[in-house]
Amino acid sequence: MLVASLWLLNAVLGTGGQLAFKAAAGDPAAGNGLARWKYMVQRPWLWFGIGCYVIEFMVWIAFLSLVPLSQGVLLGSINIVAIMIAGRFLFGEKLTRLRVLGIALVALGVAIVGVAG
């Protein structure tokens, strides 16, 4: 139960961090060059993303202390699926056939590792 909880929390934090970074970096009002960075540093999305990553790091270490590295890394790749799907709904990013196939293969691999582990 602890392993599953840490895995799920890691996925939520990793996905949340990536989405927050995208929200911070994708703001059209940010401008270019150094002005863009100054603008992003003042936005809460950047700091939310950093916070997610700091907490995710601690969760990841706890997760890896309970599962073999090879299994943990494969299970951790579920973030790729979550990020791509969330990117579609939140940012209107395209899901091509090839990307959908990739999502399906990653999800299948995670399911196999989860069942076999």
Side-chain angles (χ1 to χ4, degrees):
M1 184 68 176
L2 178 60
V3 171
S5 296
L6 289 171
W7 175 68
L8 181 61
L9 185 57
N10 180 69
V12 169
L13 289 167
T15 300
Q18 286 288 340
L19 295 173
F21 289 150
K22 174 67 175 178
D27 190 340
N32 294 315
L34 185 58
R36 179 184 251 333
W37 284 97
K38 287 179 181 179
Y39 180 85
M40 285 190 300
V41 165
Q42 297 172 5
R43 308 306 299 166
W45 285 121
L46 179 69
W47 297 105
F48 180 77
I50 291 170
C52 282
Y53 267 44
V54 167
I55 297 167
E56 181 198 15
F57 173 75
M58 291 182 275
V59 170
W60 182 247
I61 295 300
F63 177 69
L64 286 181
S65 72
L66 300 172
V67 299
L69 179 61
S70 59
Q71 183 182 12
V73 169
L74 288 171
L75 289 170
S77 49
I78 196 68
N79 289 4
I80 296 167
V81 174
I83 291 165
M84 288 178 72
I85 293 171
R88 167 68 180 107
F89 289 106
L90 296 176
F91 302 110
E93 295 181 353
K94 295 185 190 245
L95 288 180
T96 63
R97 287 183 197 185
L98 195 55
R99 287 183 183 175
V100 171
L101 176 62
I103 288 172
L105 290 173
V106 169
L108 178 63
V110 169
I112 290 170
V113 169
V115 169

